[in-house]
Every structure is written in structure tokens, then in C-alpha cells.
């Protein structure tokens, strides 16, 4: 089985992963079940959280994670993704984690490789383990997802995190509201303003402006994006009492989120998201390699 999209998972598999992730995070677990297994990390795009948490997850399970330094690999000599996938497949890894700038890349690699392939972000398409770790974070902190009002705000158009969450969270009973600058919304999307989306929300998830995917610079004057669309105290005051704040990282501080809100331990789940990322990826590796 591969994990390319949230759609690849049944409701029972989603439940198993979330439940297991919370148990692993809380230390009620047995690890080491993947001793002797090998996980390849193949990251064509920059990453800190996803790359390091997959490697940490593999090690905690007793497996060995090997990361291809893509910039120093034959990719620099022009090798195609398909040929790299064929080459790595011949080494018989037990799983491959792939991030690539093109939509559909993880699925093409999976068609070539015999082992399970995990999509760690393909272009603007999907990032399923991010959505799973976001859901696991809510489970861990709030105890439930059913009935939560969740505002996802920012550069929706380029966000694979938003796409995967928009598929997963409603399946778990949440109401998801997507909002952002009109230029950064998908053409088909219903256009809520950020203020409307945040009103009464239990969770406010802010997204990074994905400058690397923009044709031209967005939000010229310093402070303008924060004032118009970012998470400020004033805007957060519209949310439900006790509302919690999330961000998949990396953050543009002072752009999509006020720095003090990001660092406010009482309201910000950003560090918990990182911790749950390790636990969730452990659960995913266990499920796929069992
Ligand atoms: N780290 C997330 C991703 O790779 C979010 C982001 O980059 O803004 O999609």
C-alpha cells in the first residue's frame, strides 16, 4: 500500500493512525518493531520538519533512514525522477518517502517502486501526513475533532497542506472554512474573507505565503499582508473563546502570523504539531510496513 493522498486511507485506517499517534506521543507504546528495515528519504524540495521527523520516526521504530542528498546526486546530472525511482527500487528499500515540486510525482514513483511510497508533499497537490499530524494534534490537545470549526487561512491556492486537510477534517466531523486573499484562492473556491472564516472558529490554522510558487511578489508594503489577511490579536479575538492556533511551518513571522501569537504557549499548537509529526509518521510507517 502507498500513501499518496488522504483518499488512499479508509476511515478505519485514519482512526488507527490517529489513535496510535496519540498513544505513541503519550509514551504508551512499544517501539522497535521495524528493526532491520530501511526507509529511503528522497527530498527534491526543501524541508526541515517533514524530513527530520520521518528520519526520527524510522529510528525510533528501529528502522534505518537513509536520506539521498538530492543536490549531490545524479539528479544534478539530469537523471529523471523515473530513472532515480528505478535505481532506488533495485536496492530494495522497505519504504520510500518522497517530496517533489511536481504534482503527481509521488504517484509516478509509486507506480515504479515495489515498496510502499509515502507522499511527503507533491507540488500544490497533497501532503497527507501533514493533515494526519494536524488531526492528531487536535485529538491530543482538544480530545476530539468532531464538531470543531476550523479556519484554514492564507495561500490556499498553492497549499498541499490545505488540500489534504480539506479532505481529511470533514471526514472526521469538522467544519472547515478556507479563506485568503482572493489572488491566493483556487478559482473554484467559495470566497470567505479571513475575518469571516475566523469568526467563532475553534482552531485557526494559518498558511505560509508560498513565495517559491508565485510568479510575482505578493503583498508589497511591509506589514500589509499581516494587516489585511494575517493573524493578529484583533482578528483572533473574533474566534471562539480559547481558540487554538496552528501553522504547518515554516512561518513567515509578521506576515501571515504575528510573532507573539506564534510563541504564545497557551494558544499556539505549533510546537505540538512538530512533536505529533514524529508520532504520526511512526504510526504511518508501522501501518505501511506491518
Ligand atoms: N511545510 C509545508 C509543506 O511543505 C508547508 C509549507 O511549506 O508552507 O507543504
Amino acid at each position: 500500500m502507498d500513501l499518496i493522498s488522504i483518499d488512499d486511507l479508509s476511515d478505519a485506517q485514519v482512526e488507527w493512525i490517529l489513535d496510535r499517534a496519540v498513544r505513541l506521543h503519550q509514551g504508551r507504546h512499544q517501539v522497535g518493531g521495524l528493526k532491520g528495515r530501511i526507509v529511503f528519504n528522497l527530498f527534491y524540495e526543501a524541508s526541515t520538519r517533514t524530513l527530520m521527523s520521518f528520519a526520527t520516526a524510522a529510528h525510533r521504530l528501529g528502522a534505518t533512514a537513509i536520506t539521498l542528498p538530492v543536490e549531490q546526486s545524479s539528479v544534478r546530472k539530469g537523471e529523471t525522477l523515473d530513472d532515480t525511482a528505478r535505481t532506488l527500487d533495485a536496492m530494495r528499500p522497505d519504504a520510500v518517502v518522497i517530496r517533489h515540486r511536481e504534482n503527481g510525482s509521488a504517484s509516478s514513483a509509486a507506480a515504479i517502486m515495489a515498496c510502499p511510497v509515502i507522499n511527503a508533499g507533491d507540488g500544490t497537490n497533497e501532503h497527507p501526513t501533514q493533515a494526519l499530524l494536524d488531526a492528531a494534534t487536535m485529538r491530543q490537545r482538544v480530545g476530539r475533532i468532531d464538531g470543531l470549526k476550523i479556519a484554514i487561512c492564507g495561500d490556499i491556492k498553492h497549499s498541499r497542506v490545505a488540500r489534504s486537510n480539506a479532505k481529511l477534517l470533514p471526514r472526521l466531523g469538522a467544519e472547515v472554512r478556507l479563506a485568503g486573499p482572493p489572488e491566493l484562492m483556487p478559482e473554484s473556491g467559495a470566497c470567505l474573507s479571513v475575518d469571516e472564516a475566523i469568526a467563532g472558529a475553534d482552531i485557526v490554522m494559518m498558511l505560509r505565503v508560498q513565495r517559491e510558487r508565485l510568479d510575482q511578489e505578493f503583498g508589497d508594503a511591509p506589514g500589509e499582508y499581516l494587516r489585511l489577511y494575517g493573524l493578529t490579536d484583533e482578528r483572533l479575538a473574533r474566534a471562539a473563546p480559547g481558540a487554538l492556533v496552528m501553522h504547518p511551518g515554516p512561518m513567515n513571522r509578521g506576515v501571515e502570523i504575528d510573532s507573539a501569537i506564534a510563541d504564545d504557549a497557551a494558544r499556539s499548537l505549533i510546537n505540538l504539531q512538530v512533536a505529533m509529526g514524529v508520532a504520526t509518521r511512526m504510526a504511518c510507517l508501522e501501518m505501511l510496513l506491518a
Side-chain angles (χ1 to χ4, degrees):
M1 175 188 175
D2 302 304
L3 178 47
I4 307 299
S5 160
I6 285 297
D7 300 331
D8 294 334
L9 297 169
S10 66
D11 290 345
Q13 286 170 323
V14 169
E15 268 315 305
W16 188 88
I17 292 169
L18 298 184
D19 187 60
R20 181 75 180 149
V22 169
R23 279 167 191 275
L24 285 163
H25 176 73
Q26 294 173 353
R28 297 200 302 266
H29 57 273
Q30 279 187 318
V31 291
L34 297 185
K35 202 160 182 298
R37 305 292 195 93
I38 292 178
V39 178
F40 281 175
N41 281 325
L42 183 55
F43 279 61
Y44 287 77
E45 273 194 344
S47 175
T48 297
R49 280 150 282 265
T50 307
L51 175 63
M52 293 302 286
S53 65
F54 265 112
T56 304
H59 282 286
R60 291 236 167 103
L61 292 166
T64 299
I66 303 176
T67 298
L68 178 74
V70 169
E71 282 304 313
Q72 285 115 56
S73 75
S74 293
V75 171
R76 273 193 75 174
K77 300 177 184 168
E79 186 166 68
T80 63
L81 174 60
D82 283 7
D83 280 338
T84 302
R86 274 182 208 105
T87 303
L88 296 180
D89 188 53
M91 297 178 197
R92 301 204 191 157
D94 295 288
V96 172
V97 180
I98 175 166
R99 167 171 292 188
H100 195 281
R101 65 192 161 276
E102 271 167 40
N103 294 16
S105 50
S107 153
S108 321
I112 291 170
M113 307 189 88
C115 67
V117 171
I118 302 178
N119 180 9
D122 62 326
T124 59
N125 182 38
E126 277 217 48
H127 193 352
T129 62
Q130 176 72 44
L132 289 163
L133 79 85
D134 289 338
T137 302
M138 294 177 210
R139 270 279 171 85
Q140 166 66 28
R141 178 60 189 260
V142 185
R144 68 184 166 92
I145 296 168
D146 190 30
L148 292 181
K149 294 186 180 69
I150 303 170
I152 304 183
C153 305
D155 184 357
I156 305 287
K157 187 174 177 178
H158 300 109
S159 178
R160 52 199 178 202
V161 176
R163 279 178 70 84
S164 288
N165 266 313
K167 286 183 176 186
L168 179 65
L169 295 172
R171 277 175 64 181
L172 297 166
E175 177 193 322
V176 172
R177 305 159 176 180
L178 303 177
E183 300 89 326
L184 299 182
M185 291 299 289
E187 266 115 60
S188 55
C191 225
L192 279 183
S193 73
V194 173
D195 285 335
E196 285 167 335
I198 291 179
D202 302 293
I203 307 267
V204 180
M205 186 187 295
M206 299 309 292
L207 301 172
R208 182 175 66 89
V209 181
Q210 307 226 346
R211 294 210 163 90
E212 72 277 25
R213 300 189 211 282
L214 291 170
D215 299 331
Q216 58 192 56
E217 208 30 55
F218 185 83
D220 353 79
E224 187 175 301
Y225 189 97
L226 184 67
R227 187 172 57 79
L228 295 175
Y229 311 109
L231 191 59
T232 55
D233 274 326
E234 204 183 7
R235 215 161 254 137
L236 189 51
R238 296 169 159 264
L244 297 165
V245 174
M246 299 176 74
H247 191 305
M251 288 181 275
N252 293 309
R253 286 176 180 266
V255 180
E256 68 266 0
I257 188 164
D258 181 277
S259 218
I261 297 177
D263 296 334
D264 179 352
R267 295 185 291 183
S268 167
L269 301 186
I270 296 169
N271 288 334
L272 181 59
Q273 284 175 273
V274 178
M276 294 307 294
V278 175
T280 303
R281 286 164 179 140
M282 286 172 78
C284 291
L285 287 172
E286 284 184 325
M287 194 188 82
L288 293 169
L289 298 185

